[in-house]
Amino acid sequence: MRGRAHQYLGFGLVGLLLLVILTGFVWLPYDPLAIDLDNVLAPPSWAHWLGTDQFGRDVAARAMLGARISAFIALQTVALTVLAGLIVGLASGFLRGWTDRILMTFSDALLAFPGILLALSLIAVLGQSRHSIVIALSIAYLPSVVRVVRAAALSIREREYVEASRAAGDGPLYTVWRYVLPNALPPVLIIATSLFGWVVLSESALSFLGVGVPAPAPTWGNMLSSARPYMASASWLSIAPGLCIVATLLGINMLGDALRDRLDPRNAA
Amino acid sequence: MTDALLQVSGLRIEADQPGLAPLLEGLDFEVAAGERLAIVGESGSGKTMATRAIPGLLAAGVHRAAGSIRFEGEELTALEERDLRAIRGAGIGMVFQEPMTSLNPALTIGKQLAEGLKLHRRLDDAEIRRRCIDMLRRVQIADPERCLAAYPHEFSGGMRQRIMLASVLMLEPRLLIADEPTTALDTLSQREVLELMVALTREMGTALLLITHDLGLVAQYTDRVLVLEKGVLVEAGQTREVLAAPKHPYTAKLVGSLPRPGDGGATGGGGDVLLSIEQAVVEYRGKPGLFGAGAPKRVIDGVDIAVRSGEIVALVGASGSGKTTLGRAALGLKELAGGMVRFDGVDIAAMDRRQERDFRRAAQIVFQDPFSSLAPHLRIGEIVGAALRHVPGLTAAERAERVTRTLEEVGLAGYERRRPHQMSGGQRQRVAIARAIVSRPRLVVADEPVSALDLTIQKQVIELLQALQRERGFACLFVTHDLAVVEQVADRVVVLEKGRIVEEGATAAVFANPRHDYTRRLLAASPALAIAEGSAS
Amino acid sequence: MLTYIFKRLLLAIPTLFLVALAVFLLVRLIPGDPAQVMLGEGASPEAIASLRTELGLDEAVPVQFATWLGRSLGGDLGNSAITGEPVGALILSRFQLTAVVVLISVGLATLIAVTFGLLAAWRQNSRLDLAVLGMASFVLAVPSFWLGLVLLLVFGVMLQWLPVVGYVPFSEDALGAVLFLVLPIVTLTISETGVLTRMMRSSTIDVLRLDYVTHARAKGLSERTVLMRHVFPNAFAPTLTLVGLTLGRLFGGIAVIETVFTLPGLGRLMVDSVLARDYPVVQGCLLFTATLYVLVNLLVDILYPLFDPRVTVS
């Protein structure tokens, strides 16, 4: 049915993104940072496929480098958040009691700050850099991952195979490692995929607001941000980076849906 | 018989997906007015689908491919959706299996009861209310007025099923389709709900189509029976005749799977006391209220049980009696609030590391649910082998050898590399048994080990457990609500009600002469026993 | 019911306390003297000294927190380090605009999502369902700020139907204000329908599988009644929670949308003060939005039993 076409499109788009990033390591059409004041705001042409910006920099080259920067930030953030989320979520869901209550109160308080605002204020404190973005977004999204892991741990903990492990004389750490963790992974994998999409979106939003990745390094978000004043005279500047974001998110989301269809126990039966 | 109430002929049901075998093939049957007909079969036999097709309510994904369904002379399959709706509820009522999901949680009982009456009868609100209250009284709901304003979640499963019954019978349908109406209930409420259903339908002259997998219920409550196997009708006839002299091998197998008394208990079990539970108390912390935890709820209240080595002791009770909790507590999996459990004379709460390790190896458990008791990500060999992790002095090769041999013993030779989801419920339960016996335990707690299985599989698993017990001579604490199984396997029986022991003794003695009222009620509510006795006489 | 509401209220208190603590500590985390940080580089030593006394920086940190919390509860959030305006008034004036845009957009988005989600689930795998699902998935992948830019490009630059830059307050020119608000509202509405539609669809599918729906049909009720009485309330409950979360999130600022459409809303205030290192305003904005978030969700929790009476028990 629709599932198949969906999956292929998802794989295709993510594959394309990977291809663009990998190509960018060996070949870029121009130096993405080279200023060329003779060639300012040139419309798309054979020489510059996607045109040039207000400093004469090649948009295609910048978009390719932007893909790399965005993907790296997203990967680092996802890795950090998932690792921390697993530790906190498993502790909270498996130990329950006071540990759970304290961790959850903190998590709820953190959840009360809209993600992007929290990231914004953390960046205000940490200073504007790529590391700050990774840390800020990790903290902002941590509660979502913790919730998923905790819910999984709470439900797995009630399964009889966990009781069987206790009845066999296994210690609690071993039980978590051998039985709870592996069975909590499917939902974590699903949320990790979604998280990747959220982070790409948030990072581009932060960059669009002017508090993301600092200039002159290009990201899709700050490319859009600097395109805003030239909307009337150079509309191509607003189109290309936006399409890049849409394609990436579409691919990731479809991949996530496919994953959910495969891993969701409700569909397995 | 042209005056039959319902006439189904040549009914075929197929999956929407092309290329699959039909789910139900060439089904013919009739129901006369006021008759009580049972459709029996195990899961996958197509019995539910057959009945859902009657009022045109098949689930998404399957459709009626051929066949005619006539109700009171009218061809239902030719009706417009609109006209079919006029028959649903008013002509044909349905009661479903799951009392927990068959009432809408967001509407009061009153609104849900009134709905059908408003639709099919022209009555004013006062009259509707009067009839609702009257009907609730007839299904023995204590305070009908209050019930109307309450929401479904405020009632227990048995109560909800009665409310369902009220809401359906209030429209006085000519045919009531009841799909496993009591399977989700415990033995006591099961009997009450069925008795009510039969009494009310008899009073109203409503025909009853009872779908069930439980032959005991069939024997007790129906006139005629149809037996379905894998979508095909294999036998039909008067209930008494079919059960006494089944013609088709499948029916014979079903009848033969009914637990019968006197198959002989365990080896007799006259050894020393192995497990002794002394004045055990288990409490659940109350729901945390605004200011700290609420009052603790006592689920086990001062229970003493001794299990001798090699003996099978059955622990019986209705749901909520605390039997499962007590089984867990016997293995130290539930903390005691008072009293103690001794294994081989040693308090299990005060064991040192080594003693605890030996205890864990010597005392094992088989769980009820074969779908949740095996870790889905591991292979069968790993699952069974996990029980040997704490056995000292075993090499990896010896461990693998033990696993292989044990799997052979439970009839699963060569299954080491399979995963749980590739196996049937009965096979999974065999794995669970293998896991329990691989460490050569002296005590096995079996917690409702067969209640989630089909009847024919139940028989096989029980026989396996009995054979292994006889051969290896471990003691067994057998937790169950099914008295027929108890009579088949246990030497002694302990009856638990609300966390206290109300009766105990040798199985034969208790069954022949139950002293406590609760035991008598349990015995009376056990239909499988009735049929076993009936066919013996 | 009353105990349920009371319990929810009590549960919100520790969360709010932690929120306040986090906001307070955030500024203390910045290296250096908070007074110096708050007033910026060019501040005179006298100004710093007076702010130090005003903030009570010479006292112990818990005392400082207590003083600060007390003042904030009284509505005094301090003054902007740059313009000297009172932060509370600043926030309220900016919030009005944001609130109007958010309330209208989320309202519209909920209506659209509930209608299409319900219909799509009812006819699962039909063409309508595929179309709804496809649109929702697509909308999910489009960043709101880019959608805004594209709409602005089409309706502002190319068709010139709507203004591109600037804003007039409602009090000065009602029609003008409406013209400026059309695109932001349309953008936000479209962006928010994606998740809500998917949520409504999937929870409706879950509910449609349950026995009570078949039971309702078996009573002879029409599909319309089955959907409206039996499916909708149960399927809407999870969506309602999500609407609450969305409202709370968006009240905190639709910074990107406000940036695209150059609206002087709360989100833009926050971004500008971060860029200008105007910490009293940052602190005020954070405290305000987080509190609002907790309160909105509290309201949703209190409304929830209307759709699902079971929650009052557990």
Side-chain angles (χ1 to χ4, degrees):
Chain A
M1 294 187 315
R2 129 199 119 74
R4 274 293 153 73
H6 223 72
Q7 271 176 38
Y8 292 142
L9 190 57
F11 276 113
L13 287 170
V14 173
L16 192 67
L17 177 71
L18 267 176
L19 190 71
V20 167
I21 293 171
L22 292 177
T23 312
F25 279 109
V26 287
W27 176 83
L28 288 168
Y30 290 89
D31 176 354
L33 304 182
I35 293 173
D36 178 2
L37 293 176
D38 297 335
N39 234 334
V40 169
L41 297 177
S45 66
W46 278 113
H48 297 279
W49 301 341
L50 299 177
T52 62
D53 67 5
Q54 70 274 29
F55 299 110
R57 295 176 296 196
D58 182 64
V59 174
R62 290 178 68 74
M64 283 175 75
L65 182 59
R68 188 200 303 173
I69 296 176
S70 294
F72 271 43
I73 289 179
L75 276 182
Q76 287 174 321
T77 310
V78 170
L80 196 63
T81 317
V82 166
L83 193 70
L86 274 176
I87 296 172
V88 178
L90 285 178
S92 188
F94 192 76
L95 297 177
R96 301 207 302 191
W98 277 108
T99 323
D100 184 34
R101 225 171 284 172
I102 291 170
L103 287 175
M104 278 305 107
T105 311
F106 271 100
S107 171
D108 282 349
L110 211 51
L111 216 51
F113 297 97
I116 198 127
L117 282 199
L118 183 60
L120 207 63
S121 17
L122 286 168
I123 288 170
V125 171
L126 297 168
Q128 202 176 336
S129 75
R130 284 187 213 180
H131 289 302
S132 310
I133 298 180
V134 170
I135 293 170
L137 289 178
S138 297
I139 294 177
Y141 286 120
L142 184 60
S144 321
V145 179
V146 167
R147 277 180 171 244
V148 170
V149 178
R150 175 174 175 271
L154 277 178
S155 108
I156 293 167
R157 162 180 219 291
E158 300 304 320
R159 305 281 161 84
E160 290 177 338
Y161 57 78
V162 169
E163 234 176 329
S165 166
R166 282 179 61 204
D170 296 335
L173 269 179
Y174 181 85
T175 305
V176 170
W177 174 252
R178 177 87 169 158
Y179 295 96
V180 182
L181 181 64
N183 288 297
L185 283 183
V188 170
L189 201 59
I190 291 171
I191 185 119
T193 317
S194 310
L195 189 60
F196 188 92
W198 298 342
V199 173
V200 168
L201 193 63
S202 303
E203 176 270 318
S204 68
L206 286 174
S207 297
F208 179 74
L209 290 174
V211 290
V213 176
T219 71
W220 297 331
N222 68 21
M223 287 169 76
L224 281 176
S225 159
S226 55
R228 171 76 170 87
Y230 304 97
M231 197 154 52
S233 54
S235 53
W236 60 88
L237 290 180
S238 316
I239 301 300
L243 285 178
C244 291
I245 302 178
V246 172
T248 306
L249 291 179
L250 214 51
I252 288 289
N253 289 350
M254 285 178 173
L255 213 60
D257 286 350
L259 212 59
R260 196 184 310 257
D261 286 349
R262 270 190 72 90
L263 298 179
D264 192 333
R266 269 186 306 182
N267 298 323
Chain B
M1 275 230 316
T2 47
D3 58 339
L5 178 70
L6 175 77
Q7 218 171 351
V8 173
S9 55
L11 181 62
R12 180 160 88 225
I13 295 175
E14 292 176 353
D16 290 348
Q17 224 173 332
L20 295 179
L23 298 159
L24 194 73
E25 175 82 83
L27 177 66
D28 299 304
F29 70 92
E30 290 181 353
V31 181
E35 184 187 26
R36 287 192 305 277
L37 175 69
I39 302 187
V40 295
E42 304 196 316
S43 41
S45 62
K47 54 190 196 298
T48 292
M49 236 178 275
T51 50
R52 293 242 171 152
I54 296 169
L57 288 173
L58 280 172
V62 295
H63 64 275
R64 188 183 53 85
S68 120
I69 298 165
R70 297 181 79 83
F71 180 72
E72 298 186 316
E74 199 166 11
E75 180 60 46
L76 295 188
T77 58
L79 286 185
E80 293 287 320
E81 182 67 19
R82 224 191 133 72
D83 301 317
L84 203 51
R85 281 208 297 265
I87 291 180
R88 286 183 199 147
I92 304 175
M94 293 185 92
V95 178
F96 301 98
Q97 172 173 1
E98 260 309 322
M100 291 317 185
T101 59
S102 52
L103 290 168
N104 183 343
L107 288 181
T108 59
I109 303 290
K111 282 188 180 149
Q112 299 190 56
L113 286 184
E115 216 169 37
L117 274 183
K118 267 195 188 128
L119 184 75
H120 295 286
R121 310 258 188 280
R122 292 211 183 112
L123 298 172
D124 58 45
D125 288 356
E127 174 64 13
I128 287 179
R129 192 179 159 78
R130 201 190 59 73
R131 288 200 186 188
C132 288
I133 289 174
D134 179 53
M135 194 67 218
L136 285 177
R137 202 162 282 143
R138 285 173 78 180
V139 296
Q140 295 162 17
I141 294 287
D143 186 355
E145 308 259 351
R146 210 195 63 79
C147 172
L148 286 183
Y151 286 96
H153 68 258
E154 298 170 43
F155 297 91
S156 68
M159 298 279 266
R160 285 193 214 191
Q161 210 57 326
R162 285 185 215 181
I163 293 169
M164 270 292 284
L165 199 60
S167 99
V168 173
L169 287 181
M170 208 159 49
L171 301 173
E172 297 170 350
R174 267 84 72 204
L175 172 66
L176 175 67
I177 299 175
D179 187 356
E180 302 265 12
T182 57
T183 309
L185 305 179
D186 69 57
T187 328
L188 285 178
S189 10
Q190 191 170 21
R191 180 186 164 87
E192 287 162 9
V193 168
L194 272 169
E195 296 271 316
L196 252 174
M197 188 184 288
V198 168
L200 286 171
T201 47
R202 186 174 285 156
E203 238 174 271
M204 297 177 161
T206 299
L208 175 67
L209 188 53
L210 177 71
I211 296 117
T212 182
H213 67 280
D214 190 335
L215 284 180
L217 299 184
V218 173
Q220 217 166 338
Y221 298 109
T222 64
D223 312 320
R224 275 197 311 131
V225 59
L226 309 177
V227 183
L228 279 184
E229 184 194 13
K230 291 179 186 139
V232 180
L233 181 67
V234 295
E235 185 155 358
Q238 298 296 317
T239 304
R240 198 174 294 252
E241 290 165 21
V242 170
L243 292 188
K247 291 191 195 78
H248 191 276
Y250 179 71
T251 319
K253 194 172 147 201
L254 278 182
V255 174
S257 316
L258 281 173
R260 269 162 222 279
D263 281 13
T267 45
D272 304 328
V273 172
L274 179 65
L275 174 81
S276 89
I277 300 173
E278 294 161 19
Q279 283 299 307
V281 175
V282 179
E283 290 176 343
Y284 281 119
R285 239 182 315 166
K287 276 180 194 157
L290 268 182
F291 308 100
K297 196 179 162 224
R298 217 161 246 222
V299 283
I300 295 296
D301 194 0
V303 165
D304 291 288
I305 294 177
V307 180
R308 294 169 187 281
S309 45
E311 171 187 51
I312 300 187
V313 175
L315 193 57
V316 299
S319 54
S321 60
K323 58 187 191 301
T324 290
T325 307
L326 189 57
R328 298 281 205 278
L331 293 183
L333 296 174
K334 275 268 175 335
E335 237 173 283
L336 294 183
M340 66 167 78
V341 175
R342 284 182 205 271
F343 188 79
D344 246 356
V346 185
D347 178 1
I348 63 168
M351 284 179 170
D352 63 29
R353 269 183 102 86
R354 250 197 65 167
Q355 283 174 317
E356 166 146 17
R357 194 188 63 199
D358 292 340
F359 165 64
R360 289 279 165 234
R361 196 178 75 214
Q364 291 288 331
I365 180 164
V366 177
F367 294 98
Q368 168 177 15
D369 181 5
F371 288 92
S372 114
S373 69
L374 306 182
H377 64 293
L378 297 181
R379 294 178 193 283
I380 301 307
E382 295 173 301
I383 291 173
V384 177
L388 294 176
R389 205 169 84 87
H390 299 285
V391 178
L394 273 186
T395 66
E398 283 166 345
R399 220 178 273 179
E401 164 68 21
R402 280 266 283 269
V403 170
T404 307
R405 259 191 296 127
T406 311
L407 281 175
E408 277 165 18
E409 279 180 78
V410 300
L412 293 175
Y415 275 65
E416 285 92 334
R417 312 263 325 142
R418 298 262 193 123
R419 287 179 197 277
H421 67 86
Q422 298 165 319
M423 310 178 77
S424 68
Q427 286 176 327
R428 283 158 164 262
Q429 207 57 309
R430 286 164 187 269
V431 175
I433 292 174
R435 170 174 60 191
I437 61 166
V438 72
S439 61
R440 297 181 184 148
R442 295 162 60 203
L443 170 72
V444 172
V445 173
D447 182 13
E448 300 263 17
V450 296
S451 67
L453 304 175
D454 270 337
L455 204 55
T456 49
I457 312 290
Q458 278 193 13
K459 182 182 159 89
Q460 294 165 7
V461 171
I462 290 275
E463 282 171 359
L464 172 69
L465 204 57
Q466 270 184 303
L468 287 169
Q469 194 272 339
R470 246 175 245 142
E471 196 176 306
R472 301 197 166 200
F474 51 78
C476 181
L477 186 62
F478 198 99
V479 179
T480 184
H481 69 279
D482 189 341
L483 290 173
V485 173
V486 172
E487 188 160 31
Q488 187 180 349
V489 303
D491 301 308
R492 282 198 304 126
V493 57
V494 176
V495 182
L496 211 58
E497 186 194 16
K498 291 183 186 142
R500 290 170 190 268
I501 293 179
V502 294
E503 181 153 5
E504 68 175 307
T507 307
V510 171
F511 275 50
N513 185 18
R515 271 170 315 193
H516 195 275
D517 178 51
Y518 183 73
T519 319
R520 275 197 285 271
R521 270 162 60 214
L522 274 179
L523 278 168
S526 182
L529 282 176
I531 175 187
E533 281 155 14
S535 62
S537 62
Chain C
M1 185 65 200
L2 274 176
T3 39
Y4 168 77
I5 293 177
F6 186 57
K7 228 183 237 179
R8 289 281 137 186
L9 281 171
L10 272 188
L11 279 176
I13 289 174
T15 315
L16 280 172
F17 181 80
L18 275 177
V19 161
L21 187 64
V23 170
F24 173 79
L25 287 178
L26 196 69
V27 174
R28 311 284 139 150
L29 281 177
I30 307 166
D33 178 5
Q36 171 87 54
V37 169
M38 282 191 167
L39 290 177
E41 297 293 322
S44 65
E46 297 82 48
I48 292 177
S50 88
L51 185 63
R52 282 192 70 88
T53 15
E54 194 195 326
L55 293 175
L57 285 181
D58 304 314
E59 316 221 27
V61 174
V63 179
Q64 292 176 37
F65 176 61
T67 327
W68 176 79
L69 191 63
R71 270 194 211 163
S72 303
L73 283 176
D76 176 12
L77 295 171
N79 298 321
S80 160
I82 291 168
T83 62
E85 283 177 84
V87 173
L90 198 59
I91 288 176
L92 281 182
S93 75
R94 297 294 199 94
F95 176 63
Q96 284 172 356
L97 178 61
T98 303
V100 168
V101 175
V102 168
L103 278 176
I104 298 179
S105 307
V106 172
L108 286 174
T110 308
L111 260 162
I112 296 172
V114 165
T115 314
F116 285 97
L118 198 69
L119 287 177
W122 181 52
R123 287 282 170 256
Q124 202 187 346
N125 293 328
S126 69
R127 234 177 265 169
L128 172 77
D129 182 32
L130 292 191
V132 168
L133 205 56
M135 278 304 289
S137 307
F138 184 71
V139 164
L140 268 181
V142 179
S144 59
F145 52 95
W146 187 63
L147 180 66
L149 279 179
V150 172
L151 289 178
L152 205 55
L153 197 62
V154 174
F155 295 99
V157 176
M158 288 160 67
L159 297 173
Q160 307 210 328
W161 289 355
L162 295 164
V164 178
V165 174
Y167 175 71
V168 270
F170 203 77
S171 51
E172 285 171 28
D173 175 1
L175 184 68
V178 169
L179 286 181
F180 276 111
L181 291 182
V182 170
L183 280 184
I185 288 175
V186 170
T187 308
L188 196 57
T189 306
I190 295 178
S191 286
E192 296 304 325
T193 40
V195 197
L196 290 175
T197 307
R198 280 174 63 122
M199 179 63 140
M200 187 67 197
R201 177 182 174 274
S202 75
S203 58
T204 307
I205 288 176
D206 288 345
V207 170
L208 281 169
R209 284 187 193 143
L210 296 175
D211 277 348
Y212 61 80
V213 175
T214 318
H215 181 214
R217 288 189 177 134
K219 277 184 197 166
L221 298 178
S222 68
E223 277 303 291
R224 210 188 127 83
T225 318
V226 172
L227 277 186
M228 292 319 295
R229 266 176 84 99
H230 294 276
V231 178
F232 170 72
N234 293 292
F236 184 60
T239 311
L240 177 71
T241 309
L242 190 62
V243 169
L245 291 173
T246 308
L247 268 183
R249 174 168 55 84
L250 294 180
F251 274 150
I254 33 175
V256 284
I257 300 251
E258 290 165 3
T259 306
V260 173
F261 297 103
T262 59
L263 297 179
L266 187 60
R268 201 54 235 178
L269 174 68
M270 171 96 183
V271 175
D272 290 339
S273 42
V274 166
L275 289 173
R277 304 192 156 261
D278 189 347
Y279 291 106
V281 181
V282 174
Q283 219 174 23
C285 286
L286 269 181
L287 189 65
F288 178 77
T289 55
T291 310
L292 205 59
Y293 182 91
V294 174
L295 293 181
V296 169
N297 284 297
L298 192 66
L299 189 69
V300 169
D301 277 351
I302 290 172
L303 287 179
Y304 202 90
L306 288 182
F307 296 92
D308 188 350
R310 280 170 296 183
V311 294
T312 46
V313 193
S314 56

